[in-house]
Structures are given as structure tokens and as C-alpha cells.
Amino acid sequence: MSAAVVILAAGSGSRVGAGVNKVLLPLGEAPVLVWSVRAALALPDVHRLVLVVRPGEGEAVADAVGPWLGEREVLLVDGGAPRHASEWQALRVLARDIEASTVDVVAIHDGARPLAGPELFTAVIAAARTTGGAIPVVPLPALVTAGGQRCPEGLAGVQTPQAFRAGPLLAAYAAADRDGFEGTDTAACLERYGSVAVAAVPSSARNLKVTFPEDVDLAAALLAQDEPAADA
């Protein structure tokens, strides 16, 4: 069995205050996007890796990830304005492998989440093979509405990578394309058009999304904690 990983890198750096796409910002020894690429390629059963980029940024993304690929290859695909369109573009590229059963599971990840790590990718892909779909979840702290009303306890935040059996995933997105439906994330499209069970895979706040300037600093600090202490 072989998996495919789609990494969405078609966002921008507007809220993070960058003049470039935030996934191209430096983070430790490599750009933000590279951390997700390396995590995906660390999985022995990943057959395809697709990077969805903003039109016109293919060369910049290739320059950023190229030095870290070794002998491995990635496919660069131009994305659309909404997230759903970018996902559909990637699935269309993978359609032949999915229909030939070369790929049995597809994991879709936000390239602005650089700290997911190989373990989380492995967990959601394994869960998707068992149940049909899997999403990482993390408990949310106490929340209030804009009107000051306290939200119910036990809420959970949904992250990426989200993984699903490839056949039902492709069929769901093809149906959504026919209907003009756009989901907020991968699971939303499967909820509307699919019948697969979706497992909740425990994650943590470490799998943060780079959205604001302080997120880059926090991610760098977390990576620094992973480095072995220098010899005295």
C-alpha cells in the first residue's frame, strides 16, 4: 500500500507581515515549507508528494525545497484561490494513481503547519486505512462567543494533515466539482459527499499554524528545544 501527501502552499504572508508567501519564510535551518516536506518524505510508504503553489511561485518554491529533496521528487501544481480548489487541483493530478489503486490513502496538509512531524503523518494515514478517514484534533481551552457567552466544554480544534482513503476522497471532490460546492477543509467535503467514518487522532498545540509574526518565533523556539544540548 502506498500513500500520497498533498501539501498546500498557495497561501500568502499578509497576516504574518511578510513580503513573501509565509511558507517561504526562514525557520531554523530551512524555510517553513521544507519542514512539512521533510516530514512527509520520511514516511517509507509515501508514493507521491504534491505541492500546491500559488500561480507564479513555482520557481520560488522549487528553489526553496530543491536542496532538501536528495533523490526524491515532488510534483508542483498551481492552486486556486480557495483552499478547496487547491485540493481539487492536486487530486486531479493524482487521479490516475488513485484509479489504478497505486495510491490507497491521500493525506492533505497545510504547509503553514511546519511542526506536524512524521509521527502525526504516520498516525493519520494508518487510521485512515483502518476507518476511512482521520483528522488530528487537540482540546481547546475555554472559549467565549463574540457576545461574551461561554462555549460548551469539551470542544476540540481540528488540524492537518487530514487523511482519507483515496477512492472515496476523489469521488467526493468530483461530486463537489459538479455541484459547485466548496468545503472549508478536506473533512467538510467528505462529510457532505462521502460515507467513510472519520477517526479523531490526538495531536497537540505544537502542531501550530504560522499565521502571525509571533508564530514564527514560537515555532523556532520549539525547534530549538529539539536540538541536542551542546557538549560542555
Side-chain angles (χ1 to χ4, degrees):
M1 294 184 289
S2 296
V5 174
V6 174
I7 300 179
L8 305 175
S12 66
S14 56
R15 283 185 289 177
V16 83
V20 297
N21 189 330
K22 60 188 175 183
V23 300
L24 299 178
L25 292 173
L27 177 60
E29 65 180 10
V32 168
L33 177 60
V34 167
W35 293 94
S36 296
V37 170
R38 291 166 67 180
L41 292 180
L43 277 62
D45 63 340
V46 169
H47 174 70
R48 290 273 190 243
L49 177 58
V50 179
L51 300 184
V52 184
V53 303
R54 285 198 298 182
E57 286 193 346
E59 184 175 351
V61 170
D63 289 344
V65 303
W68 304 91
L69 295 179
E71 298 299 318
R72 302 295 296 272
E73 295 183 354
V74 301
L75 300 175
L76 296 182
V77 179
D78 282 348
R83 174 194 180 96
H84 181 94
S86 290
E87 294 175 346
W88 177 226
Q89 289 290 85
L91 289 172
R92 290 172 65 186
V93 169
L94 293 171
R96 181 174 297 180
D97 283 336
I98 294 172
E99 292 164 350
S101 299
T102 305
V103 166
D104 68 320
V105 168
V106 177
I108 299 182
H109 183 55
D110 189 338
R113 291 187 183 271
L115 305 186
E119 295 81 8
L120 187 57
F121 275 95
T122 298
V124 296
I125 289 172
R129 286 191 170 121
T130 300
T131 66
I135 56 176
V137 297
V138 59
L140 291 177
L143 299 175
V144 295
T145 67
Q149 183 178 0
R150 187 179 179 87
C151 295
E153 295 182 359
L155 295 177
V158 177
Q159 303 174 336
T160 66
Q162 299 181 7
F164 300 89
R165 288 179 186 159
L169 179 64
L170 179 62
Y173 271 75
D177 184 58
R178 290 193 296 269
D179 292 350
F181 172 79
E182 293 182 353
T184 54
D185 66 359
T186 320
C189 188
L190 265 293
E191 182 179 11
R192 182 176 178 112
Y193 291 101
S195 58
V196 299
V198 179
V201 175
S203 185
S204 73
R206 176 185 171 88
N207 186 22
L208 60 84
K209 183 175 181 178
V210 173
T211 304
F212 302 104
E214 56 268 27
D215 296 328
V216 181
D217 296 334
L218 177 56
L222 291 170
L223 286 172
Q225 291 178 358
D226 296 338
E227 295 177 357
D231 295 335

